[in-house]
Every structure is written in C-alpha cells, then in structure tokens.
Amino acid sequence: MTGFILYYLTAFLASSAVIPSNVGIQSVAGQYLLGLGIGDITGPVVETNMMGYASLAQTDTGLHMRQRSRVFIVAEQDTPSNRILFINADIAMGDTGVRRSIVSNVTAQFPGIYTNENIAFVGTHQHSGVGGYLENLLPQLTSLGYVAATADAIVQGTVLAVQRAHDSLAPGKLSLGNVTVLNANINRSPSAYLANPAEERARYEFDQDKDLTLLRFDDNSGNARGFLSFFAVHGTSLYENNTLISGDNKGMAAYLYEAMVEPDVMPGNTTFIAGFTQSNVGDTSPNTLGAFCESPGEPYDGMPCDFDHSTCGGTVEQCHGRGPGFQISDFASNEIIAQLQMEGAQTVMDSTNRTSVTGAVRSVHVYLDMANHTFTLPNGTSVQTCPAAMGFAFAGGTTDGPGAFDFIQGDNSSQPQNPFWELVKNFVTPPPSAAQIACQDPKPILLNTGFATLPYNWSPSTVDIQMLRVGQLVMLIMPGELTTMSGRRIREAVRAKLISSGVLDNSAYVVIAGPANTYAHYVATLEEYGVQRYEGASTIFGQYTLDAYIDKYSSLVPFIADTVTGTPASDAAPPEQTSKAISLQSPVVFDAAPFGSHFGAVQTDVSSTPYEAGQTVFATFVGANPRNNLRLEGTFLSIDRLVSGQWQMFKSDSHPSTTYSWVQTSTILGNSQVNITWTIESGTPSGTYRIRYFGDSKPLIGSISSFTGQSSNFTVL
Ligand SMILES: *[C@@H]1O[C@H](CO)[C@@H](O)[C@H](O)[C@H]1NC(C)=O
Ligand SMILES: *[C@@H]1O[C@H](CO)[C@@H](O)[C@H](O)[C@H]1NC(C)=O
Ligand SMILES: *[C@@H]1O[C@H](CO)[C@@H](O)[C@H](O)[C@H]1NC(C)=O
Ligand SMILES: *[C@@H]1O[C@H](CO)[C@@H](O)[C@H](O)[C@H]1NC(C)=O
Ligand SMILES: *[C@@H]1O[C@H](CO)[C@@H](O)[C@H](O)[C@H]1NC(C)=O
Ligand SMILES: *[C@@H]1O[C@H](CO)[C@@H](O)[C@H](O)[C@H]1NC(C)=O
Ligand SMILES: *[C@@H]1O[C@H](CO)[C@@H](O)[C@H](O)[C@H]1NC(C)=O
Ligand SMILES: *[C@@H]1O[C@H](CO)[C@@H](O)[C@H](O)[C@H]1NC(C)=O
Ligand SMILES: *[C@@H]1O[C@H](CO)[C@@H](O)[C@H](O)[C@H]1NC(C)=O
Ligand SMILES: *[C@@H]1O[C@H](CO)[C@@H](O)[C@H](O)[C@H]1NC(C)=O
C-alpha cells in the first residue's frame, strides 16, 4: 500500500522501448486442457473508501472502468485431476477472507476438481479499486471497517469467472517467452537497493526487473485464446486524489489488449483473456520521472527529493513521484504505463520463438505461521521470524503516496477525523516486549500489530505458501510485496533447488505472482531491512522474513515433482475473522427525485451543436444511489449509436473514454445527480448518438426498482 500525488509540471513523454529477448522454439503438441474466463467484481462505486493508498479522503464517487477477475485453468489432458486455477483479480491484493469464500464456493461446486491447494488468488496491486474487503483490521482503518458489499462482489464475480473458465475447457497448448520493457518502472527506494552487496548488484543491469514473462494459451489449432503475463510495477499510476473506480495500469493494459483483439465486443465480454499479473512489486514505481519536491516558495521547489529519506525540507509530505504523462494528467500516465506493458505482451505473443511448455501440472499449498517461525539459514545458523510489527517509516509512506495512514491526525482527540480509528484505538497495539524489540531490530516499532488481536487481528500471522507448476514454469504465489532483489533471490534459490533435486532440468523458469492469497505486507532483503525505508519498515515478520520464505518455498519443491509422495506438513489455517468484522458504512436510506421531476430526467442535456473527436460530451440526470444495484456484468450507462435506424450500444461504463459520477445533492430529501461523460475517440464513425443512464432507486418503503434516463440525440462529425 502506498500513495502519491503529483503536482507541478515538467515536460516529458516516455518513449516506447521494447526489446525482444526471447529464444526457443515454437510450441508443437497440445497436451493440456485450457480454460479462460472473466467476471465483473466491481463493488460499490460511491460512498466507499478506495483500496491502496489507505487515504481516508479517497472515497469513491463513480466509475472509470470496472474491476475484473480473470481466471486461467490448466489441466493435464491425460490426468485432468492434475490442474491449477489461477485467479488474476483487479484488486489491490489477495485476502484470506475473500479467498476462503471463493475456495469454499468453488470447491462445493466442483468437488475434488478445484481445491484449497490448486486455487491461487492474486491481486494486480492496483490502487483505484473499491476498498473494505480485507479481513485483517489494519487495512480496514481508512475504509471505516469491513464492507461486505465489496467482498461479496469480488467473490461473486470471481466465481462467475471460474465457471466461465471451467465451461471453456478445451485441449490446447502453452508456450513461454519474455521481453525487456523499458521506461515502465523505476526503483522508488534506490538507497535501500544500494545496501545489497555490490557483487550481487553487479550481476544485474538495472535496479528493477525489466522483463515481462508471458505464458501464451492456444487452442489445438494454434489460435491464441489469451495469456498470463508477469511484470513488476506498482499500480499507482492514478493519483491518490482520483475518486473514480478503475483498474490502474494493469487493468488498462488488459482492456487495451482485449479491445485490440475483439474491438467490437464490450469490455468484460471478450473471449480472449489478457492477464497482466503483478510480480515482485515492492520497491517498483510507475512514476518513472522520479520523485520531486512540490514545495512552492521554497528554494528546493521542483528539485529531486532527498535521496536517502525522500524528504523535502525535512518532511515527506511534499515529495511526489511523477509519471510519464505528468504534464497532461495521471490518466495519461496510466495509459502510457499500460501501453508499454500491452506492447511488451504483444511482442511475445507475436514472436515466433517462444518456448513450448511441456510437462506435469502440479500445485502445493501450506499455511505457515510466521510469528516465531524457526528455521536454519543456508550457512547453518538457526534464526527466527517475529510476530508482526510495522516500523516508523511505514507511517512515512512512499514517494508514490506520502504518509500512508493518518494515525497521528486520527488520534487527535480534540478533532477526531476517522471514526473507525476512534473506535478501535481503545484496542491500540500493546507495547512491544523486550524480546519483540530485539527480534524486530533494527526496526523501531510503531505498531506492534502481531500482538494486537482486539477487536480482531490487525495483521496476519499465518500466511499462504503456494507454488503452481505448469511444465517447466513454476509460479511462486507470494503473500506480499517482494522488493526487486528479494524476488531475484527467491527465484534463483527455488530454481537452483528445482534443478539440483532433479524436479526440472535447466529449462526451469520461475516467476513470482503477488500480492496473493493473504496480504502480509512487504518483503525486503536483510540488507534493505537494515535501511528501514517504507518497504523495510513494512516487512512485518522481521529481518529474516525473506529467508524464511526462501527456506519454505525451497523445501516444498519435491511436492511439485512429476512423482509426488505424501503431503507437506502445514500449520493451521488462519482464524476466520470476517464474522467479527465491524462496519461503520451506513446503508442507503432512500432516493427521491426532486418535486415535479422523475428518476432519469435529463438535467443538463447534450449540445445540439455537432461534436468532433477529442471533445467531451456530457449529460446530467436525476439520479439514485448506485449502491442499490452494482449492475455486475452490466453497465450504469451506454453511449448508443444509430445504425440503419436501430440504436446499438457503442460504449459501456467500462470503456476508458466514458465516466460515470454520482453526487448526493440533498441527504434530507434523498436527491442525487448523475453525470455521464464520453470523450470521443478519434476514428469514431460520424453519425447520430445518444447517452443513456441506467439507475436503480430505493423508496423509503418498498423495494428497489430500476429506471432509464436518456439524453437528446447528438451528432458526431
Ligand atoms: C489531482 O491532483 C493533480 C495534481 O495536483 C491535479 O492536477 C488534478 O486535477 C487532481 N485531480 C482531481 C480529480 O482532483
Ligand atoms: C527470458 O527467456 C530466456 C530464454 O528462455 C531465458 O534464458 C531468460 O532467463 C529469461 N529471462 C528471465 C528474466 O527469466
Ligand atoms: C457460489 O456463489 C454463487 C454466486 O455468488 C452463488 O449463486 C452460489 O449459490 C454459491 N454456491 C455455493 C455452493 O456456495
Ligand atoms: C455481454 O454479453 C451478454 C451475452 O451476449 C449480453 O447479455 C450482455 O449485455 C453483454 N454485456 C455488455 C456490457 O454488452
Ligand atoms: C525472438 O523473437 C523476437 C520478435 O519476433 C525477435 O526480435 C528476437 O530477435 C528473437 N530472439 C531470438 C533469440 O531469436
Ligand atoms: C511468539 O513469541 C512470543 C515471545 O517472544 C510470545 O509472546 C508469542 O505468544 C509467540 N507468538 C506465537 C504466535 O507463537
Ligand atoms: C549466517 O548468516 C547470518 C545472516 O547473514 C549471519 O548473521 C550469521 O552470522 C551467519 N552465520 C555464520 C555461521 O556465518
Ligand atoms: C488537533 O488537530 C488540529 C488540526 O488538525 C489542531 O488544530 C489541534 O491543535 C490538535 N489538537 C491537539 C490536542 O493536538
Ligand atoms: C459533468 O462532467 C463534465 C466533464 O467532466 C463537466 O464539464 C461538467 O461540469 C460536469 N457536470 C456536472 C453537473 O457535474
Ligand atoms: C433521435 O433519433 C431517433 C432515431 O432517428 C428518433 O426516432 C428520435 O425522434 C430522435 N429524437 C429526437 C429528440 O430527436
């Protein structure tokens, strides 16, 4: 979780630089059953805190693009019980409670086929989605507790995506490639990265991973059905002040790719599924211009922030990262970072030299209690992890979002700002013991969350350790955000173990997917931990967190071999907490149209003057609260085009060219207004168009009913 706000301007536009670097041979024989599916997981788009920046002020007011889960199933054709189900959800991070619900639903529908072991629930780590779905208390602070509607939408849409993927199972083949994508990420904590040994750093050209790895799904005739790609870049292209629900750069990349393949199909309805999965994202930033001081009137205004501390004049608040579209808008930056990933994926999809994927499909999953986990380092020293704790630098935030969580302001009893914090602060984290201080050293402890279990657990203690194998490709499904060097170390260690133990030959290819399953914050290297920037301060289980994961994932390698005997030992599953969750979000009371008007009535109509590409058409309507009906798989708006005397839906609420926003104009009278905009793309056919608004109103007594509003016709030249 991070954040950022961009302010003042310099001119720059990232050039698209994609260097193909893959080798190998075209895939041949089909030996897998493949299934792909997509589902709408968009929770309430208004009056709900957004997830990622952990900013109390970031309450959603509408929709830019819907959030989706994309599901990828691979089974062995000969032994279909050997299968994996990979969920790439357009949310900030996986979560224990949501995963529990998905697993329980899917395993009940498909007993013995999908299991707790073979279902991976991975978040894209975007920061502009609907919040409130996480089970542990700490990430609920800014969302005023748990929001069941958000979690339910994620579960429902993901289950639908699973059903669609399952229904689409068909023989096919897989192939693998990679490409170097430049200008799409930078390291936002280079001073921590520099603490890693010089000889280790010398092995890498960059202080970030620039490779995008792609697994292509083909049917048996060689027609592409979709792909799963892995690339590390934070989903923080959209600013912390954006309040329209969106998918950030990975959601946008998926849209761009799917729309390119099936341009005439509405978003979310394509059969081609583009998976842009997050990887070792910890210290990455899409704000590729770097971090600068936004300090008007100060001599350092416009200068780069302090290198070691990301401060301007001694404080973090004015230090902000800048994206490539800085001069234009955060939405422009978002599209550039999305486009770079999309083009990288296209390069691998189109290349003739991907490696054919062959071999067994396997999965392994265990729970690991990371509090006080004792294990042996490769050098023979026995060490242990610690119960969770957040360091002081955690509250300092990052250059993507200075000062995450408003603990200090929220704790100001003379002017309480966060009612949820006011409620739970009575359960404030207990003071750390001498043992905990020593264990977490050199981290100064701000929040001793591992010992905070009231009213329910603040941080996870037990995490999901999971690996999926498809032939020579091994996916480490990680319960947190690994920094660049952490990712390199664990990939290398697991790959070495795969080869040394004879599970795979030299073709072994290891990738990281996360934050997945359980959100256990960050994973920095031992050396980066010593520096205690945000990522180190947020490495919750102490300095040996990474080494514990390397040890555990490596130890599970035998369980993804061709021949597996026995099952690995597992700690107990984490306790269910959702039933204890506190929610302060109030329900919709009622909607009413102003006297003499009706729901859907046009308040501001489109212009009768013809429009041209690049212009924004908008209309406002008498509205009702969109929380009454999330319209999953549907739309709150349509831009219709008149074709041969018939109206056809041309754009939905999920096209990035449209926005839907809602504002309550009177709480007492229940009045509200909806504003729909469409920025006309170049290449839009000239002709007659109209805007429609689909709403649902809740009377004081009685049930919710739907209505439609409609603008006048307008002309696009
Ligand atoms: C967000 O902040 C940026 C930078 O200050 C500003 O340009 C932009 O207009 C803001 N966006 C919104 C939606 O307020
Ligand atoms: C990219 O693919 C090539 C060929 O398989 C491989 O040698 C290389 O290690 C891959 N790059 C990464 C970062 O995995
Ligand atoms: C699974 O979820 C779907 C959609 O939310 C629901 O209709 C169905 O009843 C659930 N099934 C089980 C077995 O929980
Ligand atoms: C998606 O396709 C289904 C089935 O064809 C259709 O009912 C639905 O309206 C489509 N959704 C959108 C947003 O066009
Ligand atoms: C792989 O394919 C890409 C794109 O088609 C090409 O640019 C690259 O040189 C190829 N690499 C090898 C090693 O053949
Ligand atoms: C971890 O050890 C501490 C003592 O250092 C103890 O208080 C705590 O209960 C232990 N936690 C767990 C989950 O075992
Ligand atoms: C093993 O490595 C750890 C961590 O780097 C170090 O603290 C310890 O001293 C080493 N032990 C030996 C025996 O070298
Ligand atoms: C509480 O915060 C407000 C500003 O947010 C400040 O004016 C006031 O002095 C603070 N009170 C205390 C007791 O710190
Ligand atoms: C609706 O949105 C457009 C485009 O952003 C804006 O110009 C207009 O002021 C908005 N109207 C209302 C009533 O919010
Ligand atoms: C909009 O166009 C349709 C189709 O041509 C026509 O039936 C309708 O009367 C038009 N509406 C207005 C207000 O002109």
Side-chain angles (χ1 to χ4, degrees):
M1 291 176 289
T2 66
F4 77 86
I5 298 175
L6 292 194
Y7 292 104
Y8 306 99
L9 315 176
T10 58
F12 181 85
L13 208 61
S15 63
S16 138
V18 169
I19 305 168
S21 71
N22 42 6
V23 287
I25 45 154
Q26 184 65 42
S27 62
V28 273
Q31 72 173 133
Y32 299 111
L33 291 174
L34 306 177
L36 299 89
I38 186 168
D40 183 354
I41 59 169
T42 316
V45 301
V46 303
E47 300 183 313
T48 309
N49 190 245
M50 294 165 73
M51 187 60 217
Y53 291 113
S55 158
L56 185 62
Q58 200 189 14
T59 297
D60 56 12
T61 61
L63 184 64
H64 173 236
M65 291 169 69
R66 283 182 180 265
Q67 299 170 251
R68 316 272 178 191
S69 272
R70 292 173 171 83
V71 167
F72 300 81
I73 299 171
V74 180
E76 291 177 10
Q77 197 165 343
D78 296 338
T79 316
S81 57
N82 290 327
R83 75 172 65 200
I84 57 135
L85 193 164
F86 186 107
I87 301 161
N88 192 45
D90 201 352
I91 56 177
M93 60 276 294
D95 173 67
T96 321
V98 174
R99 180 175 187 274
R100 188 187 305 111
S101 301
I102 292 168
V103 167
S104 108
N105 188 302
V106 171
T107 55
Q109 280 189 61
F110 304 98
I113 298 175
Y114 303 108
T115 63
N116 192 42
E117 283 65 46
N118 68 19
I119 298 173
F121 179 49
V122 186
T124 60
H125 202 47
Q126 64 118 316
H127 284 52
S128 52
V130 188
Y133 63 90
L134 284 106
E135 194 175 52
N136 288 296
L137 188 141
L138 183 61
Q140 291 175 3
L141 277 172
T142 56
S143 62
L144 308 185
Y146 184 73
V147 181
T150 311
D152 291 349
I154 298 170
V155 174
Q156 194 181 323
T158 302
V159 166
L160 182 61
V162 170
Q163 289 163 340
R164 288 172 170 167
H166 184 83
D167 290 345
S168 83
L169 277 167
K173 48 197 175 185
L174 296 167
S175 53
L176 188 65
N178 62 40
V179 66
T180 301
V181 178
L182 297 179
N183 299 329
N185 64 7
I186 61 161
N187 193 312
R188 68 184 188 190
S189 284
S191 59
Y193 179 87
L194 284 174
N196 294 308
E199 58 279 16
E200 183 183 34
R201 285 185 283 114
R203 295 173 47 212
Y204 302 97
E205 186 178 358
F206 299 103
D207 63 1
Q208 289 283 274
D209 286 341
K210 304 287 184 187
D211 306 275
L212 180 146
T213 292
L214 182 142
L215 179 67
R216 173 171 158 151
F217 288 60
D218 278 311
D219 67 16
N220 257 352
S221 315
N223 300 311
R225 297 182 59 195
F227 61 81
L228 197 47
S229 68
F230 304 83
F231 182 75
V233 60
H234 249 88
T236 49
S237 285
L238 297 180
Y239 297 168
E240 192 171 341
N241 65 359
N242 164 51
T243 57
L244 296 180
I245 293 304
S246 191
D248 214 88
N249 58 61
K250 290 200 187 282
M252 176 64 96
Y255 162 77
L256 289 173
Y257 209 110
E258 289 164 355
M260 175 184 73
V261 177
E262 291 170 75
D264 298 327
V265 177
M266 288 292 147
N269 254 7
T270 58
T271 55
F272 185 95
I273 309 295
F276 286 88
T277 300
Q278 193 53 267
S279 196
N280 44 331
V281 62
D283 51 3
T284 65
S285 172
N287 292 315
T288 49
L289 299 192
F292 296 86
C293 295
E294 316 289 4
S295 315
E298 300 295 343
Y300 44 82
D301 182 34
M303 307 286 284
C305 310
D306 171 76
F307 183 74
D308 289 330
H309 306 291
S310 296
T311 50
C312 299
T315 65
V316 294
E317 283 83 2
Q318 295 167 345
C319 174
H320 298 278
R322 292 177 177 175
F326 177 63
Q327 206 190 12
I328 310 161
S329 72
D330 52 347
F331 283 82
S333 295
N334 187 51
E335 206 163 322
I336 293 167
I337 300 296
Q339 185 81 30
L340 289 167
Q341 293 174 78
M342 185 266 201
E343 287 168 4
Q346 194 178 4
T347 302
V348 184
M349 286 296 282
D350 293 349
S351 105
T352 52
N353 54 19
R354 288 179 314 281
T355 309
S356 171
V357 173
T358 57
V361 177
R362 295 285 182 273
S363 62
V364 61
H365 173 280
V366 298
Y367 294 109
L368 178 64
D369 187 347
M370 285 290 281
N372 309 336
H373 171 63
T374 301
F375 66 101
T376 305
L377 292 172
N379 71 7
T381 302
S382 177
V383 293
Q384 74 165 54
T385 59
C386 332
M390 319 288 310
F392 271 85
F394 164 71
T398 72
T399 54
D400 286 339
F405 290 110
D406 59 345
F407 294 120
I408 285 78
Q409 286 177 40
D411 200 21
N412 178 336
S413 54
S414 72
Q415 224 165 13
Q417 311 213 343
N418 180 335
F420 188 67
W421 177 246
E422 286 302 305
L423 186 72
V424 301
K425 74 173 183 189
N426 301 322
F427 303 107
V428 80
T429 64
S433 64
Q436 171 74 329
I437 291 169
C439 186
Q440 290 278 354
D441 187 71
K443 178 199 289 173
I445 298 172
L446 172 68
L447 292 173
N448 194 23
T449 52
F451 292 85
T453 55
L454 294 172
Y456 40 94
N457 291 351
W458 285 48
S459 287
S461 169
T462 298
V463 302
D464 301 70
I465 305 289
Q466 187 178 36
M467 277 193 289
L468 307 181
R469 174 188 163 198
V470 173
Q472 71 270 37
L473 176 67
V474 172
M475 297 172 249
L476 309 181
I477 312 298
M478 301 293 312
E481 306 181 43
L482 279 76
T483 61
T484 300
M485 199 61 100
S486 294
R488 289 167 176 170
R489 285 188 195 171
I490 195 168
R491 282 198 310 253
E492 188 170 85
V494 173
R495 185 169 184 275
K497 184 71 189 286
L498 285 162
I499 295 168
S500 68
S501 58
V503 170
L504 286 172
D505 63 15
N506 222 19
S507 67
Y509 197 117
V510 181
V511 293
I512 289 165
N517 296 338
T518 292
Y519 186 60
H521 299 261
Y522 281 75
V523 184
T525 66
L526 183 79
E527 295 83 355
E528 292 161 353
Y529 187 87
V531 177
Q532 284 293 304
R533 277 178 62 94
Y534 179 85
E535 296 81 13
S538 304
T539 297
I540 59 178
F541 302 118
Q543 61 184 327
Y544 296 115
T545 303
L546 170 64
D547 294 295
Y549 287 143
I550 291 176
D551 177 69
K552 194 69 187 178
Y553 280 82
S554 301
S555 77
L556 294 174
V557 156
F559 296 96
I560 55 171
D562 286 357
T563 307
V564 178
T565 46
T567 47
S570 174
D571 289 341
E576 191 277 335
Q577 304 211 104
T578 302
S579 55
K580 296 186 222 167
I582 296 171
S583 178
L584 297 186
Q585 196 188 44
S586 48
V588 178
V589 182
F590 76 111
D591 299 288
F595 184 72
S597 186
H598 59 92
F599 291 117
V602 177
Q603 290 184 316
T604 311
D605 208 348
V606 298
S607 167
S608 54
T609 310
Y611 293 87
E612 289 173 29
Q615 287 184 305
T616 297
V617 192
F618 75 90
T620 63
F621 300 87
V622 173
N625 195 317
R627 285 166 58 201
N628 292 327
N629 180 354
L630 304 179
R631 292 187 171 266
L632 290 172
E633 300 294 321
T635 181
F636 291 117
L637 67 89
S638 72
I639 308 298
D640 297 337
R641 178 184 168 215
L642 192 63
V643 182
S644 314
Q646 300 286 313
W647 287 110
Q648 290 180 357
M649 193 195 284
F650 186 63
K651 299 287 169 190
S652 74
D653 66 12
S654 225
H655 280 96
S657 57
T658 64
T659 66
Y660 165 95
S661 55
W662 177 87
V663 63
Q664 179 113 58
T665 49
S666 167
T667 316
I668 294 167
L669 299 176
N671 297 161
S672 64
Q673 190 180 53
V674 156
N675 189 2
I676 291 172
T677 78
W678 175 38
T679 302
I680 303 167
E681 293 97 332
S682 62
T684 298
S686 56
T688 304
Y689 292 81
R690 69 177 181 192
I691 296 175
R692 279 194 300 160
Y693 157 44
F694 305 105
D696 302 88
S697 62
K698 181 180 178 183
L700 208 43
I701 300 163
S703 50
I704 292 167
S705 58
S706 56
F707 61 86
T708 304
Q710 188 177 310
S711 76
S712 292
N713 302 346
F714 60 92
T715 304
V716 173
L717 294 176

